[in-house]
């Protein structure tokens, strides 16, 4: 269809394209062409070619891609320096975070070694440092202490049970629990990665992750208070465990070991001062000062020569075996008890790692494969669990060091692992006299960055109230419900906020920007103009089952047409009209019978038959004028245009009597629904004097469809803009069908504009199109739909606007 329309001085000449015509012009492919069958896809996936095999192997083992291209001259020295720096950080953090996991410190060193080597072969990020992490260590600690509490390992002496705990047996079982949880979490990650479920991390928004890590920092502080004060509180698990543990620690404060508290305070003061100095000098230093390592060495030397353990009962690390432990199969019977914790560890660890990996990849211009990262992290955990490691992910502090010290590739991770390996083989026994209070101080000081995240509250208050609510709910639920249940509750709430946002979108009516083909919200833009007789409706969200009813209600409200009332009224009027016609037939028969009797009686009475106002207006006017009816009365009656009003005029008995007339029920709109006149039964009449004729005339003019809402019928077309929809489900399709059917009953045409190809395909599969609803009702753009509406209704131009420039726009497809 060729269309020419004017926008003031602007003129548009082009073909108006609906969906059917668009398919003809562009030769759109069919659904079977774009969506091969399951068998075809299966055959394609099983078809093996050399390039396909090579691509599959390289994508599964990324080291084969980048290692042959590795340049020792360009990358060797930067990776070595970066690896040494990160390896030095691994030592204190591995020892300290093992305490968070309630495991012997040496297992923190194992965790810093094996997973980093596995990630070297399978990882795609060049800058993240895999190893121990605060949040995951706390989560592992909650599992180990729940399944292996101290009370289960009290030493029995005959029939008596002493208060002493068998630490060796307890630690061995906790290692088994941690290894089993880590292996199961790793297997979950590998399975998710193989089924291309890497996008699962996107469900953990940044406010959620930051709030979760902030609350986890509080758990870490409470877990380290026993080492800071030298007390032995009862460790609780489950909801409100943080509150109960903190309450127990406060009750034990009078029993604080003062030497332990002094060591903790001195260590924290030194660490804070040294870190501030390190930050101040960092622009001038090629490599950061290893503050934690210096603290550990100094603490070990002081403890060894001052005999802090024997003289002041300060708890120390204890025996640190040298050498590597042999691999062992974890106890699979523990899997059933830790499956929920393992899944939480898998999700949190992946979310932290992929967020850091993508940040560095964007900064340095390379790509990180989210699915492969999930597999790499899963293999690091699964293989590491066989060597008594606990769950790992990337560490923000170590990754920043690796990036800022010049690390270029994953070789930096290998160099850091070698530093840890040397420590395990040769230097491990030297840390036996290291006070646990020093490690606890390292943990607390390293949590400073997480506690600074409380400033997110102020930022989110200004930028997004919904994200602020997500942050607060995550923080509170993690504190009160513990780490596993808190994470689940936070994810559920975050997803609910998405549902709420789609259920409460912004609905708007669009108008045309003068001189353009643009259509914007008329409520937020002052210069736009509505198209006469056309309502353009848009929702800011996709229409689906959760908001389909709200969508229909919003369309009624914005269009001003209450479809339910209008259809009910129309059907009621149709039924009444049928009754009126039947009564008219009966009255006609009675009148004919009466006329025959009158003729036989020799015309004893004079009068006029029942007639319509329109049909007999002239005769009635003459009769009434003979009865001295005023011009005003005559005008008021003849202006009524309702063809269903019937009257019987009577001849005045005397010249002085006023002209009287009778009104028969059946010819007027629904007085009953208007509430101002009761319905008259068949044959009932109302006799009115001419003195009340003006009032009746006014009431008859007042009665119209407009008294029940917007019945002015100034809207002949409604265009629904579906450009914001990226899918449409069966409920929404039924809603759209109902919209077409309901509005067609009141002679309002519905058109859809801006559908994406996938939405059109879903409409086809959902049997949306029929004989009454064809693709002629779908248009590629709002402007095409508007041009068609105006042509279809006989309009030739938009309202005249006065643009500033005279432009001729012509497009030809």
């Amino acid at each position: 269809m060729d269309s020419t329309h004017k926008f003031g001085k602007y003129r548009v000449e082009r073909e108006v394209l609906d969906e059917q015509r668009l398919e003809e012009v562009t030769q759109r492919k069919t659904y079977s062409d774009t969506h091969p069958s399951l068998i075809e896809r299966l055959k394609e996936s099983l078809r093996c070619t050399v390039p396909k095999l090579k691509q599959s192997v390289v994508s599964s083992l990324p080291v084969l891609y980048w290692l042959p291209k590795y340049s020792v001259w360009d990358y060797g020295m930067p990776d070595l320096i970066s690896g040494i720096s990160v390896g030095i950080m691994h030592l204190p953090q591995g020892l300290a975070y093992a305490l968070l996991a309630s495991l012997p410190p040496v297992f923190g060193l194992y965790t810093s070694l094996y997973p980093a080597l596995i990630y070297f072969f399978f990882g795609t990020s060049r800058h993240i440092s895999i190893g121990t992490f605060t949040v995951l260590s706390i989560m592992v600690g909650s599992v180990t202490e729940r399944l292996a509490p101290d009370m289960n390992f009290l030493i029995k002496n005959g029939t008596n049970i002493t208060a002493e705990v068998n630490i060796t047996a307890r630690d061995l079982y906790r290692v088994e629990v941690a290894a089993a949880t880590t292996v199961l979490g790793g297997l979950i990650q590998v399975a998710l990665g193989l089924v291309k479920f890497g996008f699962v991390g996107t469900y953990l928004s940044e406010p959620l992750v930051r709030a979760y890590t902030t609350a986890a920092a509080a758990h870490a502080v409470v877990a380290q208070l026993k080492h800071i004060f030298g007390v032995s509180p009862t460790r609780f698990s489950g909801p409100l465990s943080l509150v109960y543990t903190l309450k127990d620690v406060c009750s034990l404060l009078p029993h604080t070991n003062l030497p332990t508290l002094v060591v903790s305070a001195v260590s924290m003061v030194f660490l804070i001062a040294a870190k501030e100095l390190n930050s101040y000098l960092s622009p001038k230093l090629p490599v950061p000062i290893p503050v934690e390592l210096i603290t550990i060495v100094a603490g070990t030397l002081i403890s060894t020569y001052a005999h802090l353990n024997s003289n002041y009962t300060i708890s120390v690390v204890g025996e640190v075996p040298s050498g590597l432990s042999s691999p062992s199969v974890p106890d699979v019977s523990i899997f059933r008890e830790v499956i929920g914790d393992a899944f939480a560890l898998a999700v949190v660890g992946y979310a932290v790692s992929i967020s850091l990996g993508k940040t560095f990849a964007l900064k340095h211009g390379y790509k990180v494969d989210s699915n492969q990262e999930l597999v790499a992290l899963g293999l690091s955990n699964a293989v590491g669990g066989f060597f008594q490691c606990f769950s790992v992910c990337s560490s923000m502090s170590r990754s920043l060091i690796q990036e800022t010290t010049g690390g270029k590739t994953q070789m930096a991770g290998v160099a850091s692992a070698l530093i840890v390996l040397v420590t395990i083989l040769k230097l491990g026994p030297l840390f036996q006299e290291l006070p646990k209070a020093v490690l606890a101080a390292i943990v607390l000081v390293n949590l400073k960055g997480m506690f600074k995240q409380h400033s997110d509250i102020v930022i989110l208050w200004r930028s997004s109230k919904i994200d602020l609510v997500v942050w607060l709910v995550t923080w509170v639920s993690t504190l009160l419900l513990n780490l596993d249940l808190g994470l689940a509750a936070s994810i559920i709430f975050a997803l609910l906020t998405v549902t709420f946002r789609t259920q409460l979108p912004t609905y708007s009516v669009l108008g045309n920007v003068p001189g353009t083909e643009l259509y914007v919200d008329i409520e937020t833009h002052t210069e736009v103009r509505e198209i006469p007789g056309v309502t353009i409706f848009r929702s800011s969200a996709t229409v689906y089952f959760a908001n389909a009813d709200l969508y229909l209600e919003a369309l009624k409200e914005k269009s001003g047409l209450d479809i339910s009332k209008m259809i009910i009224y129309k059907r009621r009027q149709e039924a009444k009209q049928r009754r009126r016609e039947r009564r008219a037939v009966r009255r006609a028969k009675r009148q004919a019978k009466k006329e025959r009797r009158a003729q036989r009686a020799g015309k004893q009475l004079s009068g006029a038959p029942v007639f319509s106002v329109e049909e007999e207006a002239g005769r009635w006017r003459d009769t009434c004028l003979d009865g001295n009816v005023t011009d005003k009365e005559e005008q008021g009656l003849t202006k009524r245009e309702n063809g269903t009003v019937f009257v019987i005029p009577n001849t005045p008995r005397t010249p002085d009597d006023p002209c009287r007339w009778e009104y028969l029920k059946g010819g007027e709109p629904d007085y009953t629904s208007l509430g101002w006149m009761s319905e008259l039964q068949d044959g009932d009449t109302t006799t009115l004097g001419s003195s009340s004729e003006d009032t009746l005339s006014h009431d008859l003019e007042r009665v119209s469809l407009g008294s029940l809402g917007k019945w002015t019928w100034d809207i002949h077309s409604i265009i629904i803009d579906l450009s914001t929809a990226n899918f449409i489900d069966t409920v929404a399709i039924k809603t759209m069908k109902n919209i077409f059917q309901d509005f067609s009953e009141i002679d309002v045409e519905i058109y859809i504009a801006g559908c994406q190809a996938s939405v059109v395909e879903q409409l086809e599969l959902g049997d949306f199109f029929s004989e009454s609803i064809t693709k002629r009702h779908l248009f590629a753009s709002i402007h095409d739909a508007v041009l068609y509406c105006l042509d279809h209704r006989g309009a030739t131009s938009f309202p005249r606007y006065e643009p500033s420039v005279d432009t001729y726009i012509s497009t030809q497809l």
Side-chain angles (χ1 to χ4, degrees), residues 592-605:
K593 188 176 181 180
K594 181 178 178 181
E595 289 179 356
R596 287 194 299 270
R597 287 197 304 266
Q599 290 175 0
R600 286 193 299 267
K603 298 185 180 180
Q604 297 177 1
L605 295 175

Side-chain angles (χ1 to χ4, degrees), residues 100-102 138-153 170 173-174 177-178 181 184 235-239 241 334-342 344-345 481-485:
L100 288 178
S102 299
I138 300 168
M139 296 175 71
V140 172
S142 65
V143 178
T144 56
E145 294 202 4
R146 186 184 78 239
L147 298 183
D150 290 343
M151 63 181 65
N152 291 355
F153 298 93
R170 181 201 66 185
Y173 188 67
R174 285 184 175 178
V177 171
T181 305
L184 183 57
R235 182 68 182 266
F236 300 90
S237 60
S241 60
I334 303 176
F335 285 179
R336 180 168 51 88
E337 302 180 69
V338 299
I339 184 169
D341 303 280
L345 285 165
L481 300 179
N482 220 338
L483 295 171
D484 48 357
L485 294 178

Side-chain angles (χ1 to χ4, degrees), residues 356-523:
L356 277 177
K358 288 186 175 180
T359 300
F360 290 122
L362 182 63
K363 181 178 179 180
H364 292 276
Y366 63 92
K367 183 180 179 181
V368 171
D369 187 341
S370 57
N371 291 309
Q372 182 59 29
E373 281 296 296
L374 195 52
V375 172
L377 191 62
L379 290 175
S380 299
N381 279 312
V383 175
F386 285 90
F387 292 91
Q388 293 81 49
C389 301
F390 54 90
S391 294
V392 298
C393 69
S394 62
S395 166
M396 183 177 297
S397 59
R398 293 195 307 270
S399 299
L400 287 174
I401 293 299
Q402 181 168 324
E403 191 258 347
T404 55
T405 53
K408 302 295 183 181
T409 66
Q410 292 90 321
M411 287 295 294
V414 175
S416 64
L418 292 177
I419 299 296
V420 177
L421 178 62
V422 171
T423 303
I424 294 174
L425 295 177
K426 301 297 181 181
L427 306 178
L430 300 179
F431 296 109
Q432 293 180 358
E433 294 298 321
L434 174 64
K436 291 183 179 180
V438 175
L439 296 178
I442 293 175
V443 171
L444 295 185
V445 173
N446 284 337
L447 293 175
K448 181 182 68 172
M450 291 187 181
F451 282 115
K452 285 184 177 180
Q453 293 177 163
H454 283 98
S455 62
D456 291 351
I457 296 176
V458 178
I459 298 174
L460 294 176
W461 173 262
R462 297 171 181 171
S463 58
S464 174
K465 300 297 190 299
I466 295 180
D467 285 340
L468 174 62
V469 173
V470 171
W471 198 101
L472 292 175
V473 169
T474 302
W475 184 77
V476 172
S477 60
T478 305
L479 285 180
L480 299 182
L481 300 179
N482 220 338
L483 295 171
D484 48 357
L485 294 178
L487 177 64
S490 304
I491 294 176
I492 292 173
F493 181 79
L495 294 179
L496 285 178
T497 60
V498 178
T499 304
F500 292 151
R501 293 190 207 192
T502 59
Q503 280 190 301
L504 300 173
T506 301
Y507 298 106
S508 55
V509 174
L510 308 184
N512 176 255
V513 179
T516 71
E517 296 186 7
L518 301 178
Y519 295 83
V520 294
D521 189 354
I522 61 175
E523 294 183 0

